[in-house]
Amino acid sequence: MSLPPGFLDELRTRTSLAQVVGRKVLWDNRKSNQAKGDMWAPCPFHQEKTASFHVDDRKGFYYCFGCHAKGDAISFVRETENVDFMEAVEILAREAGLPMPARDPKAKEKADRNAELADVMEQAVRHFRLQLSTGAAAEARAYLARRGLDDAALSRFEIGFAPDARQGLYRHLRDKGVADDLIVEAGLCARPDDGGAPYDRFRDRIVFPIRDPRGRAIALGGRAMSPQARAKYLNSPATPLFDKSRNLYNHAPAREAAGKGQPLVVAEGYMDVIALVTHGFEAAVAPLGTAITETQLGLLWRIADEPVVALDGDRAGLQAAYRLIDLALPLLEAGKGLRFALMPPGQDPDDLLRAQGPAALRKLLDEALPMVRLLWRRETEGRSLDSPERRAALDKALRAAVGRIRDPSIRTHYGEAFRSLRWELFRPARQGFGGRVRPGSGQRSLSPMSSTRQSLLVSAGDEVTGHLREAVILATLLAHPALIEEVAAPLEALECRDPDHDALRTALLARPDADAAELRAAIEATLGTEPLERLAATDHVAVTPCLRRPGDVELARQTLSEEFAKLDAIRGLQMEIREAEEDLAQVADETLTWRLGQAAEANHRATRIGHEDKVEYETGPNGARVSRAERDTLRALLDSIADSKGRK
């Protein structure tokens, strides 16, 4: 079977050689540098005790300094699995989620054609380089000089110039014996509608060669010299060599620099990349005239785990960041993320470097925001959140964003980050004693004693209690799906930290019209049986009365009402205690430690699941039942603060 051109390149791009090899070897952690993709192990091809087998994950090659075995992921699978070439390709394609292409009997013919096109592109690059030194390029050279590009930079990036001639490149290539169809297919010239001779696509433009990860010239980018040009920047059209959504400018040099420890910086265009590289930030790339695509994001993550996206300091730059976040959320994996460096208003990286130098940019890169922070900014910036309804809308938007994350562990951590940020945003501003110290007030902040902090940890039992109450709610609704619509609002607002609970909550809200059997079948089809089995195995679920009497709908309705009310009480108590904990920083002493320890222990004993028949309740201001021990904990905490205030 012949493979179409480009398939193996894409397979190698999508495949991590370190992961493939890691199934067969034990890495030497002292010698390896996982962050740089520089891995060492004893060779799997010959018997040895030292780690002489080297994997360069970024370049996708291995080499043994003992037996001299070398190759890529395909050859490694062939040798270790004892399979032929096509079987190795199929194994790797299956693991990478890449469909095997249909049989292509003309694959060799296409590969030969692509080699011819690449040769034509190299001839065009050399021609435009020579044109930059002619009299016609005087204005272009002056522009490049004003942008800070010296001869070394021009040579390094092979920058050229296309004169304002309709057939300058065409005639040059024809004189070299290149056929019309090759010139047109390479994207260098276009045929007019009237069927006449081809004309140059690039005229009166500074020319930037675009190379693939293998270093082949595959396309050109052109910057117009005339302000009247219809497009300031122009890229080659799609060709057998070039797809702008699947390539990056400066890919291969950036990959090499990132492998040496430099941060991978993603800029907007050619001039930004050139400015970054000439100022020492050599691991710089740019998309090619379009927003970053899923394929390009995969390329970035193959180069570095956390690329830093350097955005123009305007609204358009911020909107581009938000679009990239939406693209990246479902694709996040453990260790693979994005950070965002926002330039000053009205500046791009090139502007900042010329105005303030490398130190200013390095500071912005060091302070780059993690993606979760920029996502929070998008959902909160410029919005008034002064009512419960508006806050609920924010919660809904954040849940929707987190819901797009496929990885359950990352989804959980994003949820926790948003809860922390939400707490910071909405916690009441308090002044004077018991609140934050006012700037310049002269008040001295005291750190709470370690024993005081430890005594408060007893309240962590509330998290377990809340988890079990969530389980009862979900199990009750699974048994009585007709009640889902009645409790849709509090169910939607339920903040489930357990990924299983969160997935079940989402599934319940998606099928409020299904009966119990249909609902379970739908959940098993999408989530599997494990979440349901774990839910049913929870002790507290097994002894819940309404689940032992499945026909009693009214009892189920009462159970849901009680459990939601108790959850509200727990969440409210936790919020009040967190506020009070801040006050402890100024008043902690041994007496306070002892009183809080006693109160928290009483709460823990009284509210322990399975002993609720011994708990005394009182009705809170919102009508929810709250255990007196829970209230006593908070009252003891606040009373202790007041006592300490008097002693101070």
Side-chain angles (χ1 to χ4, degrees):
M1 173 182 176
S2 298
L3 295 170
F7 176 78
L8 292 180
D9 287 341
E10 183 169 2
L11 179 61
R12 292 184 178 103
T13 296
R14 290 198 187 188
T15 301
S16 167
L17 179 59
Q19 290 181 0
V20 173
V21 175
R23 297 195 294 262
K24 303 290 184 179
V25 303
L26 291 175
W27 299 117
D28 185 330
N29 292 326
R30 293 173 298 178
K31 197 172 181 181
S32 300
N33 188 331
Q34 187 172 1
K36 296 182 179 180
D38 184 45
M39 308 299 291
W40 293 83
C43 180
F45 300 117
H46 77 285
Q47 299 295 323
E48 65 167 357
K49 295 182 180 180
T50 59
S52 62
F53 185 79
H54 178 236
V55 169
D56 188 329
D57 193 43
R58 299 183 190 278
K59 294 184 178 180
F61 290 99
Y62 65 83
Y63 179 75
C64 177
F65 289 87
C67 69
H68 307 296
K70 62 181 178 179
D72 60 7
I74 297 173
S75 61
F76 186 85
V77 172
R78 288 184 65 184
E79 295 296 329
T80 58
E81 302 291 340
N82 193 26
V83 295
D84 62 23
F85 178 83
M86 287 308 304
E87 288 176 309
V89 170
E90 289 174 359
I91 290 170
L92 292 173
R94 187 165 54 250
E95 292 178 354
L98 187 64
M100 286 294 291
R103 290 182 176 274
D104 186 357
K106 297 184 178 181
K108 186 178 186 306
E109 180 182 330
K110 292 179 179 177
D112 292 341
R113 181 69 168 184
N114 284 355
E116 290 184 274
L117 293 173
D119 181 65
V120 173
M121 290 300 305
E122 292 292 352
Q123 293 186 54
V125 170
R126 289 195 295 270
H127 172 73
F128 289 136
R129 286 282 294 122
L130 290 172
Q131 294 302 308
L132 185 62
S133 61
T134 64
E139 185 180 347
R141 291 195 301 273
Y143 168 81
L144 293 168
R146 290 195 300 272
R147 297 296 297 264
L149 275 68
D150 57 16
D151 290 341
L154 297 178
S155 176
R156 179 173 187 170
F157 289 93
E158 303 173 283
I159 296 172
F161 178 70
D164 190 11
R166 181 175 175 82
Q167 292 184 316
L169 176 64
Y170 172 73
R171 291 197 181 103
H172 170 77
L173 293 175
R174 286 293 291 159
D175 290 344
K176 295 287 187 180
V178 182
D180 284 11
D181 59 341
L182 277 172
I183 298 173
V184 172
E185 193 173 359
L188 297 170
C189 292
R191 294 187 187 276
D193 295 336
D194 61 10
Y199 60 90
D200 293 0
R201 287 185 179 273
F202 296 89
R203 302 192 301 273
D204 194 25
R205 289 178 180 271
I206 296 171
V207 175
F208 304 87
I210 299 168
R211 296 186 177 273
D212 68 7
R214 294 162 57 185
R216 298 181 306 171
I218 57 174
L220 301 173
R223 198 269 187 197
M225 293 306 300
S226 171
Q228 281 75 46
R230 281 189 289 180
K232 183 177 180 180
Y233 282 95
L234 176 70
N235 285 331
S236 292
T239 72
L241 294 178
F242 178 61
D243 179 345
K244 66 181 180 181
S245 68
R246 309 175 77 85
N247 289 278
L248 297 167
Y249 182 61
N250 199 46
H251 186 153
R255 180 180 60 191
E256 183 176 351
K260 296 177 180 177
Q262 290 211 25
L264 177 62
V265 183
V266 186
E268 185 175 342
Y270 309 114
M271 293 304 299
D272 287 330
V273 169
I274 294 169
L276 285 162
V277 171
T278 55
H279 283 85
F281 303 91
E282 298 187 352
V285 297
L288 297 163
T290 183
I292 293 175
T293 65
E294 182 175 333
T295 301
Q296 289 171 327
L297 187 55
L299 294 175
L300 294 172
W301 278 332
R302 288 283 288 118
I303 299 173
D305 289 339
E306 272 196 325
V308 181
V309 184
L311 298 166
D312 293 0
D314 55 17
R315 191 65 191 171
L318 206 53
Q319 290 300 321
Y322 294 156
R323 288 192 296 270
L324 179 54
I325 287 173
D326 288 333
L327 172 71
L329 280 173
L331 307 175
L332 295 176
E333 298 178 5
K336 301 290 187 183
L338 294 171
R339 301 184 81 86
F340 294 85
L342 303 179
M343 301 297 109
Q347 292 188 323
D348 58 26
D350 185 19
D351 297 327
L352 181 64
L353 285 166
R354 284 188 288 144
Q356 300 184 40
L361 182 64
R362 187 171 292 107
K363 184 174 186 295
L364 285 181
L365 296 179
D366 291 342
E367 297 172 352
L369 297 174
M371 200 165 81
V372 66
R373 282 279 181 175
L374 202 60
L375 180 54
W376 170 261
R377 174 174 172 173
R378 180 179 76 178
E379 301 301 338
T380 57
E381 189 174 44
R383 295 177 59 178
S384 174
L385 300 167
D386 60 353
S387 70
E389 294 83 4
R390 290 176 175 178
R391 294 185 181 188
L394 170 63
D395 293 343
K396 184 176 181 180
L398 294 175
R399 282 197 303 274
V402 173
R404 293 199 294 273
I405 301 173
R406 296 171 187 164
D407 186 291
S409 176
I410 297 176
R411 192 165 59 240
T412 298
H413 287 296
Y414 263 68
E416 291 174 350
F418 284 143
R419 277 189 285 275
S420 176
L421 290 166
R422 190 182 183 283
W423 163 247
E424 290 292 329
L425 179 63
F426 292 139
R427 65 178 173 182
R430 293 149 64 202
Q431 299 178 350
F433 184 85
R436 299 179 199 81
V437 178
R438 299 188 196 96
S441 66
Q443 287 181 285
R444 186 167 58 94
S445 176
L446 302 176
S447 299
M449 298 171 64
S450 59
S451 54
T452 302
R453 292 196 298 267
Q454 291 165 1
S455 72
L456 293 176
L457 295 178
V458 181
S459 64
D462 288 339
E463 289 299 325
V464 178
T465 303
H467 182 272
L468 294 174
R469 296 201 186 284
E470 289 173 6
V472 171
I473 290 170
L474 296 171
T476 301
L477 290 173
L478 280 166
H480 301 87
L483 299 178
I484 293 175
E485 289 190 351
E486 294 184 21
V487 296
L491 181 62
E492 188 175 276
L494 198 61
E495 296 182 355
C496 300
R497 295 192 180 186
D498 185 321
D500 282 351
H501 284 192
D502 191 51
L504 289 171
R505 180 189 66 84
T506 301
L508 290 169
L509 289 167
R511 294 293 302 272
D513 55 343
D515 61 31
E518 293 172 340
L519 186 58
R520 292 187 70 88
I523 291 174
E524 289 178 357
T526 56
L527 304 178
T529 60
E530 289 189 7
L532 293 172
E533 291 171 355
R534 281 194 286 267
L535 186 69
T538 305
D539 290 341
H540 200 52
V541 168
V543 300
T544 299
C546 74
L547 296 175
R548 298 169 70 180
R549 291 152 56 183
D552 194 335
V553 178
E554 186 56 36
L555 181 58
R557 183 178 285 111
Q558 293 175 4
T559 299
L560 291 171
S561 178
E562 286 282 331
E563 296 300 328
F564 275 118
K566 291 171 183 176
L567 269 180
D568 284 344
I570 290 173
R571 305 299 190 224
L573 180 66
Q574 289 173 337
M575 183 173 291
E576 292 179 48
I577 288 179
R578 279 196 295 268
E579 288 182 12
E581 281 178 343
E582 294 178 4
D583 296 331
L584 298 183
Q586 299 181 48
V587 299
D589 61 15
E590 290 292 348
T591 302
L592 176 59
T593 298
W594 182 83
R595 293 185 62 181
L596 290 181
Q598 294 296 308
E601 180 59 29
N603 175 47
H604 182 62
R605 287 196 306 270
T607 58
R608 191 166 57 241
I609 294 296
H611 295 78
E612 292 194 4
D613 55 325
K614 301 177 182 178
V615 180
E616 296 184 15
Y617 289 93
E618 62 184 36
T619 301
N622 61 354
R625 291 204 308 160
V626 183
S627 76
R628 290 182 180 173
E630 288 172 332
R631 278 296 159 213
D632 288 346
T633 301
L634 181 60
R635 286 171 180 158
L637 190 150
L638 296 174
D639 288 347
S640 297
I641 291 173
D643 290 349
S644 297
K645 176 183 176 182
R647 292 196 303 274
K648 300 291 183 186

